[in-house]
Amino acid sequence: MTGKNRRRVKERQPILDKRALRDYLQGMAKRATSPGRPKAIGYTRVSTGKQKDTGGSLAVQRDRIVEYAVLNGLELVNTFEDAVSGARGEEARPGFRAALDAIRSGEASVLIVTDADRFSRDADNAGHARVEIKRAGGKVVVISEVHAGVEIVAVRQ
């Protein structure tokens, strides 16, 4: 490479604005430690032992929930899990019942799940749970639907 070509390559290198980066990181640190952050509960579920050990595992779901909470300024106060069918009601899913109780009691105002089918596989149970959460002043966040269009979310509910 000649000197002229090296200069062109060098000029195309991205310039890092250290002050802007520092300001951004300080803002994120402040946001992450702010006492006024909304509190959230995570809920993970698998139906079978096989799912528990594969890609849809509880750990993978939990990691996605933690990532979502951190990136969205939520304080994740607890996570609950079940290894039973999502078609079962609240009484047969102790983790789900504990998550709902945390919202009902005011421990948190947001329930985070990775996908709608992790929340519930039964439309009636899902609807009832959403009404209970809304009555308690909370909301459900389904990570896979955060950027989905209104039509997709409406069909899944």
Side-chain angles (χ1 to χ4, degrees):
M1 231 185 229
T2 66
K4 186 177 180 181
N5 288 339
R6 259 191 239 133
R7 194 173 322 128
R8 280 190 204 150
V9 171
K10 192 172 185 180
E11 289 172 5
R12 288 188 231 164
Q13 296 296 323
I15 298 172
L16 177 64
D17 183 348
K18 291 180 183 177
R19 185 175 19 180
L21 178 61
R22 184 186 68 237
D23 292 346
Y24 172 77
L25 291 174
Q26 286 175 343
M28 289 300 289
K30 185 185 249 184
R31 186 172 158 189
T33 58
S34 170
R37 294 181 303 149
K39 294 183 187 316
I41 295 293
Y43 176 69
T44 61
R45 185 188 63 75
V46 291
S47 298
T48 65
K50 186 176 180 181
Q51 278 184 329
K52 196 173 185 178
D53 300 328
T54 60
S57 74
L58 296 169
V60 170
Q61 292 176 53
R62 202 170 22 256
D63 288 348
R64 288 186 61 207
I65 289 169
V66 168
E67 177 185 24
Y68 180 86
V70 168
L71 293 175
N72 289 278
L74 300 170
E75 180 183 347
L76 189 62
V77 295
N78 209 340
T79 59
F80 299 98
E81 64 184 48
D82 283 316
V84 298
S85 170
R88 294 183 178 184
E90 178 183 341
E91 67 285 343
R93 296 164 56 195
F96 189 62
R97 182 176 49 249
L100 292 178
D101 286 344
I103 299 291
R104 289 176 186 135
S105 72
E107 180 183 342
S109 60
V110 180
L111 176 62
I112 307 171
V113 294
T114 56
D115 296 292
D117 66 347
R118 300 300 90 196
F119 183 70
S120 182
R121 288 245 183 218
D122 181 273
D124 292 337
N125 288 338
H128 176 74
R130 284 180 184 268
V131 167
E132 288 287 313
I133 291 168
K134 191 173 182 179
R135 281 186 185 152
K139 70 177 185 173
V140 178
V141 172
V142 179
I143 296 172
S144 65
E145 296 176 354
V146 169
H147 299 293
V150 174
E151 301 82 15
I152 291 172
V153 175
V155 169
R156 287 189 179 166
Q157 292 182 4

